[in-house]
Amino acid sequence: MINSKIIDDSTDPILVPQRSIHGGDKLPGIGMGTFGSDRFSAEDVAAAVKGASEVGFRLFDCASVYGNEHLIGEVFHDVFKSGIRRNELFITSKVWNDMHGKGNVLLSCAKTLKDLKLDYLDLYFVHWPFPNFHPKGAPPDYHNKDARSYVHEEYMETWYQMERLVQAGLVRHIGTSNMTIYKLKLLLHDARIAPSANEMELHPCFQQPELFDFCIAHGIQPVGFCPIGSPTRPDRDKTSDDVVDILDPVIVKIARIHNVHPAVICVKWAVQRGQIPIPFSIYRSEYSSNLKSTVNDLLTNEEMEAIKTVDKGCRLIKGQVFMWEGARDWTDLWDMNI
Ligand SMILES: NC(=O)c1ccc[n+]([C@@H]2O[C@H](COP(=O)([O-])OP(=O)(O)OC[C@H]3O[C@@H](n4cnc5c(N)ncnc54)[C@H](OP(=O)(O)O)[C@@H]3O)[C@@H](O)[C@H]2O)c1
């Protein structure tokens, strides 16, 4: 029984900070990422999800495009058999860009539920606001000739299908991902069910303060991806200008004071700031220390202030592979030229 195992590296989930979303539902203030990054196998990721549940993680960030939901579903099945109840886990997934068309969101969600062996998802995201996609392992210069810019009417078609999933009881909450304030304003104007959360890139060198504040002001919980600066991200998401959060002198100095890896400071900062970080690792020592960091030896106000100054506005997941014909460069994806 996972519950009855006393493992030194575990953290009692009750102690982990909680957040509230629409309707008062509570969720853990930290989750486990499951994107194998084209570097780790589906088996490695599923084993990490199992280990993460043992050390006390209760939120898991899944997606159909990660190609591992069928194996993670086996793990969830075992987790429930071990005595953990469904309502103790908070499980998210995402509809991939090739399934935005009418009826497809419902099909995609049905496949995810089947793969994850669940009756419902706690939160379902629209992964990207474009129907543009790339094959697994796409190189940095990949371009899809059918790629196109954001079309609000098309996004709303996708969103209304998301709303139907809530009405059908298959999904408790719906959310957005990789959005901008411009697009969120359009969505909030037209949505019948507002997003409960927005999954966005957030790490010390990319704090997105305006979007973060906008989400908080509109009751949208920020979920932070690449919280450590994604050192193992695919090559297609690397450019020569990228900064490395875990080498930043302020982060490194604070890490020395707390006697932890700089990655752990990135996670602590994220939780204390109020976003929900979803760090990924296949190594038990890493993911257990990420979870433990939320309950012990917290950062001081001075350290939180110092980390504010680390922001370089350095976006890592620029989305170059989603660019369309006529786009000036990746900045168009983020409405930076409007
Ligand atoms: N919505 C979206 O579009 C989107 C985009 C990207 C990611 N995501 C989600 O966000 C999750 C996290 O993002 P990510 O995996 O790209 O980046 P990340 O969590 O910032 O970085 C993961 C890497 O950090 C290292 N690490 C983790 N914990 C550590 C620790 N305690 N000490 C030292 N190193 C540590 C590991 O590298 P080593 O293996 O070298 O130790 C690991 O591979 C993904 O898994 C996915 O669920 C969503």
Side-chain angles (χ1 to χ4, degrees), residues 34-35 61 177-178 199 225-228 230 232 278 280 286 290:
T34 67
F35 175 41
D61 179 68
S177 179
N178 295 302
E199 194 162 307
F225 69 70
C226 302
I228 295 162
S230 196
T232 49
I278 43 172
F280 169 78
E286 291 187 353
N290 291 342

Side-chain angles (χ1 to χ4, degrees), residues 146-328:
D146 298 325
R148 53 190 192 275
S149 65
Y150 179 77
V151 178
H152 182 59
E153 291 67 32
E154 285 184 4
Y155 189 80
M156 287 316 299
E157 231 171 53
T158 303
W159 191 257
Y160 292 139
Q161 295 181 74
M162 300 287 282
E163 293 181 342
R164 283 180 62 195
L165 292 171
V166 177
Q167 285 149 0
L170 296 173
V171 162
R172 288 184 58 81
H173 293 272
I174 48 180
T176 51
S177 179
N178 295 302
M179 289 289 262
T180 60
I181 293 178
Y182 172 78
K183 294 187 184 88
L184 278 173
K185 278 185 181 163
L186 291 173
L187 172 63
L188 288 173
H189 181 267
D190 291 339
R192 290 180 286 241
I193 301 178
S196 294
N198 181 49
E199 194 162 307
M200 54 197 273
E201 182 178 332
L202 287 172
H203 43 94
C205 294
F206 192 57
Q207 304 189 14
Q208 303 213 62
E210 294 83 13
L211 180 54
F212 180 90
D213 290 346
F214 179 91
C215 287
I216 297 290
H218 289 83
I220 302 170
Q221 171 62 49
V223 175
F225 69 70
C226 302
I228 295 162
S230 196
T232 49
R233 65 191 179 283
D235 290 339
R236 65 173 171 272
D237 290 324
K238 291 191 172 167
T239 63
S240 54
D241 301 334
D242 292 349
V243 295
V244 182
D245 294 73
I246 52 178
L247 295 182
D248 180 274
V250 174
I251 302 291
V252 169
K253 185 173 166 208
I254 298 174
R256 281 208 190 102
I257 294 168
H258 289 262
N259 199 21
V260 292
H261 190 283
V264 174
I265 298 301
C266 297
V267 174
K268 270 186 196 296
W269 166 78
V271 175
Q272 287 184 232
R273 185 192 191 208
Q275 65 240 29
I276 299 176
I278 43 172
F280 169 78
S281 177
I282 60 162
Y283 305 111
R284 189 169 176 121
S285 62
E286 291 187 353
Y287 55 73
S288 62
S289 53
N290 291 342
L291 185 63
K292 216 169 259 310
S293 77
T294 67
V295 301
N296 64 16
D297 196 21
L298 300 187
L299 299 175
T300 63
N301 290 340
E302 291 73 29
E303 288 167 338
M304 288 297 289
E305 283 303 310
I307 295 176
K308 243 189 204 171
T309 68
V310 165
D311 193 2
K312 310 272 186 306
C314 181
R315 188 186 288 281
L316 300 173
I317 309 302
K318 302 174 180 69
Q320 301 93 320
V321 287
F322 300 131
M323 263 169 7
W324 52 90
E325 194 75 40
R328 98 188 52 183

Side-chain angles (χ1 to χ4, degrees), residues 61-123:
D61 179 68
C62 306
S64 56
V65 74
Y66 300 162
N68 51 27
E69 288 190 326
H70 59 299
L71 295 184
I72 293 176
E74 303 282 342
V75 172
F76 288 153
H77 181 72
D78 290 346
V79 167
F80 297 134
K81 267 208 321 220
S82 80
I84 292 178
R85 293 187 304 273
R86 172 67 185 91
N87 64 7
E88 291 176 65
L89 293 194
F90 195 96
I91 300 171
T92 80
S93 185
K94 313 180 192 85
V95 58
W96 183 236
N97 309 359
D98 60 348
M99 294 299 272
H100 282 199
K102 231 176 194 157
N104 282 346
V105 177
L106 313 182
L107 289 176
S108 188
C109 182
K111 167 93 166 69
T112 280
L113 286 171
K114 183 167 180 277
D115 284 350
L116 292 176
K117 300 191 191 303
L118 301 174
D119 296 327
Y120 69 92
L121 290 169
D122 294 281
L123 174 55

